[in-house]
Amino acid sequence: QQLLRSTMGLSDTRVILVLALMFSTGVLLQLLGCVLWDNWWPMLTGIMYILVPMPYIFFGSTMGDSYSLYGSNLESGWMDAGKFLTGFSAVGSIAIPAVLAHSQVITSGALVMELAAAVMLGATCIVYDYYHSKE
């Protein structure tokens, strides 16, 4: 326990616990949106949650000096394409439940649960990015 305290501060442990709680809440809302209304179509959004980080992982950021502000090199173009595809996928994770609700495949209650899950999982990513950039 002494070794754990020396390598990881108390605030780091709290951040990890908050991130785990936020992620678990988002996944729970996603599942409840399907189970409570006995309709599994909203689970299509789960596919988008897997696809959202993929472009950023494949084309992601490098912390080196190769990134140009005006996009004059090839590597900058790939990073911009990755960010665009990530944003496109993130919009899709909100649009899929909205389209399903508009076509009356899912109820408005399931839509609210799915959107709450998207907000919670998005907030998890933002909090992680905030604390990761502080280091």
Side-chain angles (χ1 to χ4, degrees):
Q1 190 176 22
Q2 192 79 9
L3 179 64
L4 181 63
R5 285 188 181 173
S6 66
T7 59
M8 180 182 286
L10 187 60
S11 65
D12 292 340
T13 305
R14 286 183 182 165
V15 169
I16 291 172
L17 288 175
V18 167
L19 288 171
L21 182 66
M22 289 174 70
F23 181 78
S24 300
T25 304
V27 171
L28 178 67
L29 287 171
Q30 174 77 30
L31 288 173
L32 284 177
C34 296
V35 172
L36 290 179
W37 284 272
D38 197 28
N39 189 351
W40 291 93
W41 279 105
M43 200 51 96
L44 286 174
T45 310
I47 296 170
M48 293 306 291
Y49 293 144
I50 294 169
L51 294 178
V52 164
M54 291 301 162
Y56 196 69
I57 289 171
F58 294 140
F59 304 120
S61 65
T62 59
M63 295 298 177
D65 294 333
S66 62
Y67 185 76
S68 160
L69 182 62
Y70 299 108
S72 63
N73 60 9
L74 184 61
E75 195 169 319
S76 172
W78 283 110
M79 288 181 359
D80 290 341
K83 290 176 185 176
F84 172 77
L85 291 172
T86 300
F88 184 78
S89 300
V91 169
S93 66
I94 295 172
I96 289 174
V99 168
L100 288 173
H102 179 71
S103 63
Q104 298 179 347
V105 174
I106 64 172
T107 62
S108 60
L111 172 67
V112 169
M113 287 291 233
E114 296 301 314
L115 294 180
V119 167
M120 185 60 71
L121 291 171
T124 304
C125 294
I126 290 171
V127 169
Y128 171 77
D129 191 42
Y130 173 74
Y131 282 106
H132 184 68
S133 67
K134 285 179 71 173
E135 293 177 359

